[in-house]
Protein backbone atom coordinates (compact mmCIF):
# COMPACT_ATOMS: atom_id res chain seq x y z
CA UNK A 1 0.00 0.00 0.00
CA UNK A 2 1.32 3.42 -0.98
CA UNK A 3 -0.17 6.65 0.37
CA UNK A 4 0.82 10.05 -1.03
CA UNK A 5 0.05 13.49 0.36
CA UNK A 6 0.65 15.77 3.32
CA UNK A 7 2.20 13.36 5.83
CA UNK A 8 2.99 14.13 9.46
CA UNK A 9 6.34 12.36 9.46
CA UNK A 10 8.81 12.58 12.37
CA UNK A 11 7.04 15.61 13.80
CA UNK A 12 6.77 17.65 10.60
CA UNK A 13 4.37 17.78 7.65
CA UNK A 14 6.10 16.64 4.47
CA UNK A 15 4.90 15.93 0.96
CA UNK A 16 5.72 12.37 0.01
CA UNK A 17 4.66 8.73 -0.17
CA UNK A 18 4.60 6.31 2.73
CA UNK A 19 4.91 2.65 1.74
CA UNK A 20 3.27 0.00 3.95
CA UNK A 21 3.54 -3.78 3.61
CA UNK A 22 1.87 -6.30 5.97
CA UNK A 23 1.12 -3.50 8.42
CA UNK A 24 4.78 -2.37 8.61
CA UNK A 25 6.18 0.88 7.21
CA UNK A 26 8.73 -0.02 4.53
CA UNK A 27 9.71 3.40 3.22
CA UNK A 28 9.02 7.11 3.01
CA UNK A 29 9.70 8.61 -0.42
CA UNK A 30 9.44 12.06 -1.95
CA UNK A 31 8.10 10.59 -5.20
CA UNK A 32 4.42 11.00 -6.07
CA UNK A 33 3.40 7.34 -6.28
CA UNK A 34 0.23 6.11 -4.58
CA UNK A 35 -2.76 3.84 -4.10
CA UNK A 36 -4.36 6.45 -1.84
CA UNK A 37 -3.95 10.21 -1.73
CA UNK A 38 -4.73 12.59 1.12
CA UNK A 39 -3.49 13.86 4.46
CA UNK A 40 -1.82 11.32 6.74
CA UNK A 41 -1.28 11.63 10.48
CA UNK A 42 -0.57 9.14 13.27
CA UNK A 43 -3.64 7.69 14.94
CA UNK A 44 -4.96 9.66 17.88
CA UNK A 45 -4.28 8.58 21.45
CA UNK A 46 -6.85 9.70 24.02
CA UNK A 47 -4.68 10.21 27.09
CA UNK A 48 -7.38 10.43 29.75
CA UNK A 49 -10.81 8.82 29.86
CA UNK A 50 -13.37 7.53 32.32
CA UNK A 51 -15.64 5.72 29.87
CA UNK A 52 -17.45 3.68 32.52
CA UNK A 53 -19.91 6.53 33.05
CA UNK A 54 -20.55 7.13 29.32
CA UNK A 55 -24.06 5.66 29.55
CA UNK A 56 -25.27 8.42 31.90
CA UNK A 57 -28.09 10.44 30.32
CA UNK A 58 -29.06 13.02 32.93
CA UNK A 59 -27.26 16.33 33.39
CA UNK A 60 -24.86 16.03 36.33
CA UNK A 61 -25.49 18.72 38.95
CA UNK A 62 -22.97 20.23 41.35
CA UNK A 63 -19.24 20.82 41.36
CA UNK A 64 -16.26 18.54 40.85
CA UNK A 65 -16.47 17.04 44.33
CA UNK A 66 -20.20 16.28 44.13
CA UNK A 67 -20.05 14.80 40.64
CA UNK A 68 -16.74 12.93 40.36
CA UNK A 69 -15.38 12.92 43.92
CA UNK A 70 -15.49 9.84 46.17
CA UNK A 71 -19.12 8.68 46.58
CA UNK A 72 -20.24 11.35 44.11
CA UNK A 73 -22.78 11.12 41.28
CA UNK A 74 -20.51 9.13 38.97
CA UNK A 75 -20.15 6.31 41.50
CA UNK A 76 -23.94 5.85 41.48
CA UNK A 77 -23.74 5.61 37.68
CA UNK A 78 -21.04 2.93 37.90
CA UNK A 79 -23.21 0.57 39.97
CA UNK A 80 -25.26 -0.58 36.96
CA UNK A 81 -22.92 -3.12 35.38
CA UNK A 82 -25.14 -3.82 32.34
CA UNK A 83 -25.45 -0.14 31.40
CA UNK A 84 -21.76 0.50 32.09
CA UNK A 85 -20.92 -2.36 29.71
CA UNK A 86 -23.21 -1.01 26.97
CA UNK A 87 -21.96 2.55 27.42
CA UNK A 88 -18.31 1.53 27.20
CA UNK A 89 -18.99 -0.37 23.96
CA UNK A 90 -20.65 2.71 22.44
CA UNK A 91 -17.73 4.90 23.52
CA UNK A 92 -15.18 2.49 22.05
CA UNK A 93 -17.10 2.17 18.77
CA UNK A 94 -17.03 5.93 18.42
CA UNK A 95 -13.33 6.26 19.27
CA UNK A 96 -12.39 3.54 16.80
CA UNK A 97 -14.31 5.29 13.99
CA UNK A 98 -12.49 8.54 14.77
CA UNK A 99 -9.05 6.97 14.41
CA UNK A 100 -8.17 6.67 18.09
CA UNK A 101 -5.90 3.63 18.40
CA UNK A 102 -5.32 3.75 22.18
CA UNK A 103 -7.09 5.32 25.14
CA UNK A 104 -5.84 5.64 28.70
CA UNK A 105 -8.71 4.80 31.03
CA UNK A 106 -8.54 5.53 34.76
CA UNK A 107 -10.68 2.53 35.65
CA UNK A 108 -12.83 2.62 38.73
CA UNK A 109 -14.37 -0.44 40.36
CA UNK A 110 -11.25 -2.30 41.44
CA UNK A 111 -10.32 -5.58 39.75
CA UNK A 112 -13.92 -6.14 38.65
CA UNK A 113 -13.88 -2.78 36.85
CA UNK A 114 -10.65 -3.69 35.07
CA UNK A 115 -11.99 -7.09 34.01
CA UNK A 116 -15.19 -5.49 32.72
CA UNK A 117 -13.26 -3.12 30.43
CA UNK A 118 -11.13 -6.01 29.16
CA UNK A 119 -14.32 -7.96 28.43
CA UNK A 120 -15.82 -4.97 26.60
CA UNK A 121 -12.68 -4.46 24.49
CA UNK A 122 -12.73 -7.95 22.93
CA UNK A 123 -13.25 -7.68 19.19
CA UNK A 124 -12.12 -4.06 18.96
CA UNK A 125 -8.96 -2.87 17.22
CA UNK A 126 -8.69 0.06 19.60
CA UNK A 127 -6.56 -0.73 22.66
CA UNK A 128 -7.43 0.31 26.22
CA UNK A 129 -4.40 1.26 28.31
CA UNK A 130 -5.81 0.64 31.76
CA UNK A 131 -4.74 2.54 34.85
CA UNK A 132 -6.41 0.82 37.79
CA UNK A 133 -7.13 2.15 41.25
CA UNK A 134 -5.07 -0.81 42.43
CA UNK A 135 -2.08 -2.69 41.04
CA UNK A 136 -3.22 -5.75 39.11
CA UNK A 137 -1.41 -7.84 36.50
CA UNK A 138 -4.02 -6.84 33.88
CA UNK A 139 -3.30 -3.09 34.09
CA UNK A 140 -0.56 -1.01 32.51
CA UNK A 141 -0.53 1.45 35.35
CA UNK A 142 -1.80 2.76 38.66
CA UNK A 143 -4.14 5.75 38.27
CA UNK A 144 -5.14 7.58 41.45
CA UNK A 145 -7.81 10.26 41.74
CA UNK A 146 -5.98 12.88 43.83
CA UNK A 147 -3.61 13.24 46.78
CA UNK A 148 -6.52 14.92 48.59
CA UNK A 149 -8.61 11.74 48.43
CA UNK A 150 -6.20 9.38 50.20
CA UNK A 151 -3.96 9.07 53.22
CA UNK A 152 -0.34 9.77 52.28
CA UNK A 153 0.89 6.45 53.64
CA UNK A 154 -1.67 4.66 51.46
CA UNK A 155 -0.56 6.58 48.36
CA UNK A 156 3.13 5.83 49.02
CA UNK A 157 2.44 2.13 49.55
CA UNK A 158 0.41 1.88 46.32
CA UNK A 159 3.02 3.74 44.26
CA UNK A 160 5.81 1.56 45.65
CA UNK A 161 3.79 -1.52 44.71
CA UNK A 162 3.31 -0.16 41.19
CA UNK A 163 7.02 0.56 40.78
CA UNK A 164 7.95 -2.93 42.02
CA UNK A 165 5.55 -4.38 39.47
CA UNK A 166 7.06 -2.20 36.72
CA UNK A 167 3.76 -0.41 36.16
CA UNK A 168 3.27 3.19 35.11
CA UNK A 169 1.86 5.67 37.61
CA UNK A 170 -0.32 8.75 37.05
CA UNK A 171 -2.53 10.93 39.23
CA UNK A 172 -4.99 13.84 38.99
CA UNK A 173 -3.40 16.96 40.49
CA UNK A 174 -4.74 20.43 41.39
CA UNK A 175 -7.98 20.07 39.46
CA UNK A 176 -10.33 21.51 42.10
CA UNK A 177 -7.88 23.03 44.59
CA UNK A 178 -4.12 23.56 44.62
CA UNK A 179 -2.36 20.46 45.95
CA UNK A 180 1.12 19.74 47.27
CA UNK A 181 3.22 19.43 44.12
CA UNK A 182 6.35 18.58 46.12
CA UNK A 183 4.67 15.47 47.48
CA UNK A 184 3.32 14.54 44.04
CA UNK A 185 6.74 14.88 42.42
CA UNK A 186 8.34 12.82 45.20
CA UNK A 187 6.21 9.93 43.88
CA UNK A 188 7.86 10.20 40.42
CA UNK A 189 4.69 9.96 38.31
CA UNK A 190 4.99 9.14 34.61
CA UNK A 191 2.46 11.90 33.94
CA UNK A 192 -0.08 14.00 35.82
CA UNK A 193 -3.55 15.22 34.84
CA UNK A 194 -5.05 18.75 35.00
CA UNK A 195 -2.90 21.15 37.10
CA UNK A 196 -5.54 23.87 36.66
CA UNK A 197 -4.92 25.42 40.10
CA UNK A 198 -1.12 25.19 39.89
CA UNK A 199 1.05 28.22 40.63
CA UNK A 200 3.90 29.36 38.40
CA UNK A 201 6.31 27.84 40.91
CA UNK A 202 4.43 24.53 40.73
CA UNK A 203 4.77 24.49 36.94
CA UNK A 204 8.47 25.36 37.17
CA UNK A 205 8.95 22.33 39.41
CA UNK A 206 6.98 20.05 37.06
CA UNK A 207 9.04 21.31 34.12
CA UNK A 208 12.33 20.76 35.97
CA UNK A 209 11.21 17.20 36.81
CA UNK A 210 10.26 16.64 33.13
CA UNK A 211 6.81 15.36 34.03
CA UNK A 212 4.22 15.57 31.20
CA UNK A 213 0.75 17.00 31.86
CA UNK A 214 -2.49 15.72 30.32
CA UNK A 215 -5.16 18.37 29.72
CA UNK A 216 -8.90 17.82 29.28
CA UNK A 217 -10.31 21.22 28.20
CA UNK A 218 -13.95 20.26 27.50
CA UNK A 219 -14.37 18.47 30.81
CA UNK A 220 -12.71 21.37 32.63
CA UNK A 221 -15.11 23.80 30.95
CA UNK A 222 -18.10 21.82 32.24
CA UNK A 223 -16.96 22.79 35.73
CA UNK A 224 -16.33 26.42 34.75
CA UNK A 225 -12.56 26.05 34.53
CA UNK A 226 -10.40 26.94 31.53
CA UNK A 227 -6.85 25.58 31.11
CA UNK A 228 -4.30 28.21 30.08
CA UNK A 229 -2.46 26.17 27.45
CA UNK A 230 0.11 28.85 26.47
CA UNK A 231 1.06 29.07 30.16
CA UNK A 232 1.93 25.37 30.29
CA UNK A 233 3.93 25.60 27.07
CA UNK A 234 5.82 28.65 28.37
CA UNK A 235 7.28 26.29 30.97
CA UNK A 236 8.32 23.80 28.24
CA UNK A 237 6.05 21.08 29.61
CA UNK A 238 5.15 18.17 27.33
CA UNK A 239 1.35 18.25 26.91
CA UNK A 240 -1.20 15.69 25.74
CA UNK A 241 -4.98 15.73 25.38
CA UNK A 242 -7.69 13.55 26.89
CA UNK A 243 -11.48 13.69 26.99
CA UNK A 244 -12.01 12.74 30.66
CA UNK A 245 -15.50 11.92 31.95
CA UNK A 246 -17.95 10.18 29.64
CA UNK A 247 -20.89 11.66 31.54
CA UNK A 248 -20.67 14.97 29.72
CA UNK A 249 -18.09 14.62 26.93
CA UNK A 250 -18.06 12.51 23.79
CA UNK A 251 -14.64 10.78 23.74
CA UNK A 252 -13.71 12.76 20.63
CA UNK A 253 -10.15 13.92 20.09
CA UNK A 254 -11.31 15.94 17.05
CA UNK A 255 -13.56 18.01 19.32
CA UNK A 256 -10.89 18.20 22.02
CA UNK A 257 -8.31 19.57 19.58
CA UNK A 258 -10.66 22.27 18.30
CA UNK A 259 -11.56 23.45 21.79
CA UNK A 260 -7.91 23.35 22.90
CA UNK A 261 -6.85 25.49 19.93
CA UNK A 262 -9.63 28.06 20.38
CA UNK A 263 -9.24 28.30 24.16
CA UNK A 264 -5.53 28.95 23.72
CA UNK A 265 -6.43 32.18 21.92
CA UNK A 266 -7.86 33.54 25.18
CA UNK A 267 -4.33 33.60 26.60
CA UNK A 268 -2.08 33.92 23.56
CA UNK A 269 -1.58 31.48 20.73
CA UNK A 270 -0.76 27.83 20.16
CA UNK A 271 -0.05 26.67 16.61
CA UNK A 272 -2.42 24.02 15.22
CA UNK A 273 0.63 21.79 14.58
CA UNK A 274 1.34 21.85 18.32
CA UNK A 275 -2.25 20.90 19.12
CA UNK A 276 -2.01 17.98 16.67
CA UNK A 277 1.14 16.76 18.42
CA UNK A 278 -0.73 16.77 21.74
CA UNK A 279 -3.13 14.22 20.25
CA UNK A 280 -0.67 12.07 18.28
CA UNK A 281 3.09 12.34 18.86
CA UNK A 282 3.28 13.54 22.48
CA UNK A 283 1.15 10.67 23.89
CA UNK A 284 3.49 8.21 22.16
CA UNK A 285 6.45 9.80 23.93
CA UNK A 286 4.68 9.58 27.30
CA UNK A 287 3.56 5.96 26.87
CA UNK A 288 6.75 4.89 25.01
CA UNK A 289 4.82 3.61 22.02
CA UNK A 290 7.11 3.05 19.05
CA UNK A 291 5.37 2.97 15.68
CA UNK A 292 5.10 4.90 12.39
CA UNK A 293 8.80 4.61 11.61
CA UNK A 294 10.53 2.55 8.94
CA UNK A 295 10.52 -1.07 10.09
CA UNK A 296 7.78 -0.47 12.68
CA UNK A 297 4.02 -0.89 12.81
CA UNK A 298 1.88 1.57 10.87
CA UNK A 299 -0.90 3.26 12.85
CA UNK A 300 -2.21 6.02 10.62
CA UNK A 301 -5.30 8.04 9.73
CA UNK A 302 -5.74 8.92 6.06
CA UNK A 303 -7.98 11.93 5.40
CA UNK A 304 -9.73 12.17 2.02
CA UNK A 305 -8.07 15.35 0.80
CA UNK A 306 -5.02 17.49 1.29
CA UNK A 307 -5.67 19.46 4.48
CA UNK A 308 -3.73 22.07 6.40
CA UNK A 309 -3.00 21.64 10.12
CA UNK A 310 -5.53 24.43 10.79
CA UNK A 311 -8.25 22.49 8.94
CA UNK A 312 -7.39 19.23 10.70
CA UNK A 313 -7.68 20.83 14.12
CA UNK A 314 -10.70 23.04 13.51
CA UNK A 315 -12.84 21.61 10.73
CA UNK A 316 -12.19 17.89 10.24
CA UNK A 317 -14.83 15.27 11.07
CA UNK A 318 -15.22 11.52 10.89
CA UNK A 319 -16.66 12.04 7.39
CA UNK A 320 -13.26 13.33 6.22
CA UNK A 321 -11.52 10.07 7.18
CA UNK A 322 -10.90 7.77 4.22
CA UNK A 323 -8.96 4.99 5.94
CA UNK A 324 -7.66 4.04 9.37
CA UNK A 325 -4.62 1.77 9.52
CA UNK A 326 -4.17 -0.05 12.85
Amino acid sequence: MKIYGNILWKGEFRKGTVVIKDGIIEDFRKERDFDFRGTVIPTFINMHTHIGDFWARDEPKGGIKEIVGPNGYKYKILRNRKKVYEGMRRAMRYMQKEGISHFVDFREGGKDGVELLLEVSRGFSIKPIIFGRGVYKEVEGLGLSSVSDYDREYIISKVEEAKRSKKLFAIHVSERIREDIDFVLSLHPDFIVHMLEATEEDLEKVSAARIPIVLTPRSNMFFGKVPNIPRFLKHNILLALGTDNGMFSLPSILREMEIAYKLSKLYGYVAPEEILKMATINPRKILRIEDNEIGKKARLIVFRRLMTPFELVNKSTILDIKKIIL
Side-chain angles (χ1 to χ4, degrees):
M1 182 193 307
K2 292 175 279 192
I3 310 166
Y4 171 81
N6 292 338
I7 300 175
L8 184 54
W9 181 257
K10 296 187 177 179
E12 295 179 5
F13 274 97
R14 305 181 189 183
K15 281 278 181 68
T17 300
V18 62
V19 181
I20 302 166
K21 184 175 181 181
D22 298 328
I24 304 298
I25 294 183
E26 272 200 341
D27 197 9
F28 179 84
R29 306 169 182 163
K30 290 186 179 179
E31 291 82 3
R32 183 186 171 101
D33 177 23
F34 58 89
D35 303 305
F36 297 99
R37 178 177 178 272
T39 303
V40 183
I41 64 172
T43 52
F44 298 126
I45 296 179
N46 188 339
M47 277 296 295
H48 188 61
T49 68
H50 295 271
I51 66 166
D53 48 33
F54 186 72
W55 76 268
R57 300 174 64 190
D58 297 325
E59 179 186 358
K61 299 292 178 69
I64 294 174
K65 191 172 183 179
E66 292 78 21
I67 295 174
V68 301
N71 303 312
Y73 171 72
K74 82 172 294 174
Y75 288 91
K76 295 174 185 173
I77 295 297
L78 293 172
R79 289 174 193 157
N80 191 322
R81 183 182 174 91
K82 182 175 182 293
K83 289 187 175 180
V84 168
Y85 178 93
E86 292 169 352
M88 287 199 293
R89 283 193 67 82
R90 287 201 304 275
M92 288 184 67
R93 276 198 297 270
Y94 178 84
M95 286 192 282
Q96 188 164 286
K97 284 182 180 178
E98 196 179 82
I100 295 171
S101 58
H102 304 74
F103 66 101
V104 176
D105 197 77
F106 275 42
R107 190 82 280 272
E108 297 94 351
K111 198 165 189 295
D112 287 343
V114 170
E115 289 173 348
L116 180 60
L117 179 51
L118 290 172
E119 181 184 339
V120 168
S121 66
R122 289 188 194 120
F124 283 94
S125 299
I126 183 172
K127 175 178 170 52
I129 297 175
I130 305 174
F131 278 62
R133 288 290 193 254
V135 181
Y136 317 111
K137 68 177 182 179
E138 299 89 349
V139 303
E140 277 85 1
L142 171 69
L144 298 180
S145 59
S146 158
V147 292
S148 301
D149 295 336
Y150 309 95
D151 211 69
R152 287 201 172 190
E153 289 74 19
Y154 174 83
I155 294 172
I156 292 168
S157 68
K158 283 294 174 188
V159 172
E160 287 177 347
E161 184 184 357
K163 301 289 185 186
R164 284 195 302 271
S165 302
K166 295 185 172 21
K167 305 288 185 183
L168 299 172
F169 164 59
I171 188 167
H172 305 75
V173 186
S174 295
E175 179 183 14
R176 180 175 61 89
I177 57 171
R178 180 176 176 252
E179 292 170 314
D180 184 352
I181 195 63
D182 292 317
F183 175 60
V184 171
L185 294 179
S186 75
L187 301 169
H188 304 291
D190 292 280
F191 64 91
I192 55 181
V193 185
H194 299 310
M195 290 293 282
L196 301 175
E197 300 297 332
T199 65
E200 293 297 316
E201 185 182 0
D202 292 341
L203 294 180
E204 286 172 14
K205 290 177 178 179
V206 170
S207 177
R210 298 176 181 246
I211 304 298
I213 296 176
V214 173
L215 301 176
T216 63
R218 287 183 300 144
S219 177
N220 299 149
M221 288 170 64
F222 184 88
F223 294 112
K225 293 176 177 288
V226 180
N228 183 337
I229 299 173
R231 178 181 177 230
F232 291 105
L233 290 175
K234 182 185 75 175
H235 289 277
N236 296 313
I237 295 169
L238 186 69
L239 300 179
L241 293 174
T243 59
D244 210 347
N245 295 286
M247 284 179 289
F248 37 76
S249 290
L250 184 71
S252 167
I253 288 296
L254 291 176
R255 288 191 186 182
E256 208 70 44
M257 288 195 303
E258 180 184 2
I259 289 295
Y261 170 80
K262 289 175 177 171
L263 284 181
S264 73
K265 296 177 79 66
L266 296 174
Y267 303 103
Y269 173 74
V270 176
E273 292 90 341
E274 190 65 39
I275 299 292
L276 268 172
K277 288 178 184 179
M278 293 178 199
T280 57
I281 293 169
N282 295 358
R284 285 169 163 82
K285 291 179 181 177
I286 295 168
L287 298 172
R288 299 163 203 145
I289 293 173
E290 296 182 357
D291 56 12
N292 297 328
E293 297 177 11
I294 292 172
K296 302 221 172 137
K297 185 169 178 56
R299 292 191 182 98
L300 300 167
I301 307 171
V302 184
F303 289 83
R304 295 181 183 278
R305 56 195 174 86
L306 298 181
M307 301 175 76
T308 65
F310 177 81
E311 286 182 288
L312 286 168
V313 166
N314 284 280
K315 297 192 286 184
S316 60
T317 73
I318 283 178
L319 298 177
D320 293 309
I321 296 174
K322 183 181 184 70
K323 189 173 185 61
I324 298 167
I325 301 165
L326 291 177

